[in-house]
Amino acid sequence: PAGMVLSVLVILLLSVLYEAVKMGKAVLLRRALLALPRSLSREALTEPHEGDAGPTQGRWFWYHVCQTLFHVVQVVLGYMVMLAVMSYNAWIFLGAIAGSALGYFL
């Protein structure tokens, strides 16, 4: 019984973490879109304009790199939860559902 309770709690926490990563990815997307230069020409993306302070110049690229890493973590967590659910254990399935609901709520 203790092992089953621990397994359900781990799956619950993985599901909460999956939802948190999904939300973090959305926040990074919004920040990346705000950091994009107004013109998407090659010159605008590689060379700073006159009068630009430069802190947002090129920052959109690092937001995209972070988004990619968040996506990889999200896919790995999703597959881990899916594999746990595919054990066809009702308690683990309920733990994944409860964790997803709790993560989305938070």
Side-chain angles (χ1 to χ4, degrees):
M4 178 56 82
V5 170
L6 183 63
S7 297
V8 170
L9 285 177
V10 166
I11 295 303
L12 187 131
L13 291 176
L14 282 177
S15 297
V16 169
L17 185 61
Y18 175 84
E19 292 293 331
V21 167
K22 188 169 73 169
M23 180 56 76
K25 197 169 96 171
V27 168
L28 275 176
L29 174 63
R30 189 167 65 93
R31 288 184 183 175
L33 291 176
L34 291 174
L36 274 175
R38 295 194 187 275
S39 170
L40 291 179
S41 67
R42 179 174 290 270
E43 293 81 22
L45 294 174
T46 57
E47 299 173 6
H49 293 290
E50 295 174 15
D52 278 351
T56 60
Q57 195 69 19
R59 210 165 48 174
W60 62 272
F61 175 76
W62 293 111
Y63 283 131
H64 187 64
V65 169
C66 289
Q67 266 189 303
T68 303
L69 294 176
F70 267 64
H71 178 74
V72 169
V73 170
Q74 181 183 4
V75 167
V76 168
L77 288 172
Y79 278 124
M80 288 174 64
V81 171
M82 180 200 64
L83 284 173
V85 168
M86 293 301 291
S87 70
Y88 299 108
N89 185 318
W91 291 109
I92 291 192
F93 176 74
L94 290 174
I97 297 299
S100 180
L102 181 64
Y104 184 81
F105 180 75
L106 293 176

